[in-house]
Amino acid sequence: METLKKRFPTKQIYVGGVAIGGDAPISVQSMTFSKTADLKATKEQIDKLQLAGCDIVRVAVSDEEDAHALKELKEQISLPLVADIHFRYKLALIAAQSVDCIRINPGNIGSKEKIKAVVEACKERNIPIRIGVNAGSLEKQFENKYGATPKGMIESALYNIKLLEDFGFSEIKVSLKASDVERTMSAYRGLRELVRYPFHLGVTEAGDLESSMIKSSMALGGLLMEGIGDTMRVSITGELEKEIEVARGILRYSGRQKEGITYISCPTCGRLQADLVPLLKEIKAKMPPIKTPMQLSVMGCAVNALGEAKHADVAIAFGSGDGLIIKKGEIIGKYKQENLIEVFIDEVVKTQKEMEKSED
Ligand code: SF4
């Protein structure tokens, strides 16, 4: 049985220039934590996210000041912008004039007229709506009947989808977030059988770096391998750029993103000749962003390096006071420790250019 399943065929929508669903690459999103109307702070965070490899950014719109700030914010950034709105449909009407997507649950905004007004505003600018179901804030009718369960989340999503479809709107993506792995996975799996809209994957309130990395790797990684998911956010308390790094890692290690560097570092053993942990950290920090799919090996001794790094595009093997650089299984030189990492990075960049050229 294949472990990596084919992706579910979903409808393709666009958030700005980024396609979501269908055969589009799985995009990575994040959310700023500044007050959105504080344009300086918000833009600073968006720039950092973009540099880290974020594809789409979401900002909270909690009052009119935030809603009106979106126009200027949009002019200052190039990432597609999503406005996150709870309850107040008037904020959605203002936001829809500037942003590339609205996140709002129509079931929360009141009368049919209000839903219709939001739908019309989005239709006018041809922007999609994300329905963001959250286990912790289901509509009363679902919470009373099912509790905060996957069934309740699925019923809430279907209800919200129908509210939009009733007004002829189908530029929809859906998220079904719970704070634990099991409910998150069950909800997405259940709804995937029932609709063809693209899914935004995430675990909500996933916690700090360690707990979010584990929960997100299990839930998002598992779903991605089952073919579920079109865009994703890893939420980590207080770690903006790490969200992107972890999301990219999950995509790569679940086999859904080929591009970029995959690091293989030796597990270390009694033959270790250098302090590998800080050296690996230094390499990762100094490595320029690379999109070409490459495998790099970082080895703790020169003795077994040739054999253990033979599948790597470029490998570095630390000896005591010096080390080897190995390219596609061939040693290309022995260098002093002082400039070993710089030589390695130069070789990676050179190899990447050669690989890119041979693809043309
Ligand atoms: S590369 Fe060297 S140090 Fe690392 S696991 Fe292999 S033998 Fe041990």
Side-chain angles (χ1 to χ4, degrees), residues 14 36 72 117 124 127 137 168 175 204 220 260 286 315 321 327 329:
Y14 274 85
T36 300
E72 200 179 328
E124 210 163 285
I127 60 171
S137 56
S175 64
T204 188
L220 277 51
K286 288 185 172 166
K327 183 171 167 178

Side-chain angles (χ1 to χ4, degrees), residues 265-273 276 298-305 308 317-318:
S265 56
C266 87
T268 73
C269 73
R271 295 178 200 90
L272 192 67
Q273 290 182 307
L276 202 60
V298 179
M299 316 300 283
C301 77
V303 187
N304 286 1
E308 294 187 17
F318 291 96

Side-chain angles (χ1 to χ4, degrees), residues 138-153:
L138 293 181
E139 295 87 356
K140 277 281 155 278
Q141 67 267 37
F142 302 114
E143 202 190 324
N144 292 342
K145 195 164 173 195
Y146 304 106
T149 60
K151 175 79 177 152
M153 293 161 74

Side-chain angles (χ1 to χ4, degrees), residues 160-268:
N160 279 286
I161 288 170
K162 182 154 187 324
L163 288 174
L164 295 181
E165 286 179 340
D166 283 349
F167 291 109
F169 192 83
S170 62
E171 297 303 296
I172 297 170
K173 62 187 169 115
V174 187
S175 64
L176 298 155
K177 299 188 182 182
S179 56
D180 57 274
V181 173
E182 196 182 348
R183 281 183 303 164
T184 302
M185 291 186 84
S186 308
Y188 280 109
R189 279 177 184 146
L191 189 66
R192 186 68 299 163
E193 300 296 329
L194 306 175
V195 299
R196 285 289 170 259
Y197 294 116
F199 281 178
H200 167 121
L201 300 184
V203 178
T204 188
E205 295 140 20
D208 63 6
L209 181 61
E210 189 185 3
S211 102
S212 174
M213 256 169 89
I214 296 170
K215 284 187 194 176
S216 305
S217 300
M218 290 176 74
L220 277 51
L223 289 165
L224 288 167
M225 292 186 77
E226 289 174 25
I228 298 172
D230 304 282
T231 181
M232 64 193 272
R233 180 197 177 191
V234 169
S235 321
I236 306 175
T237 309
E239 301 266 5
L240 209 56
E241 292 130 295
K242 276 273 175 216
E243 290 194 357
I244 308 303
E245 194 183 318
V246 174
R248 292 279 168 209
I250 292 173
L251 278 175
R252 193 164 313 122
Y253 298 124
S254 63
R256 292 294 174 203
Q257 180 182 289
K258 301 278 178 267
E259 62 182 33
I261 295 172
T262 303
Y263 285 97
I264 296 169
S265 56
C266 87
T268 73

